[in-house]
Amino acid sequence: MNKIGVGYALITDLEKKYVNMALDSGRLSPGPFVQKFEKKFAEMHKQKYGICL
């Protein structure tokens, strides 16, 4: 029987780097990563703005 694993995440070194950069910045509220995400999200959906809550 095939089973679906629970609790396993594949996290690359690049993703760890970005998480550490965010944590090291001392900001968990809007900062450069959130602003970049909002801009890319808006572009992807052909909207003028994107807002991360």
Side-chain angles (χ1 to χ4, degrees):
M1 180 195 307
N2 292 333
K3 296 182 181 182
I4 297 174
V6 178
Y8 178 77
L10 177 60
I11 301 170
T12 68
D13 288 337
L14 181 60
E15 291 165 332
K16 289 177 188 176
K17 177 184 170 184
Y18 287 144
V19 167
N20 284 327
M21 285 172 63
L23 292 173
D24 290 344
S25 76
R27 293 189 65 134
L28 295 180
S29 60
F33 287 110
V34 173
Q35 292 168 358
K36 186 174 181 178
F37 174 81
E38 289 173 336
K39 182 178 179 182
K40 291 288 185 181
F41 190 87
E43 289 172 0
M44 185 179 191
H45 295 278
K46 297 181 175 84
Q47 298 298 313
K48 189 172 184 177
Y49 301 105
I51 299 173
C52 183
L53 302 174

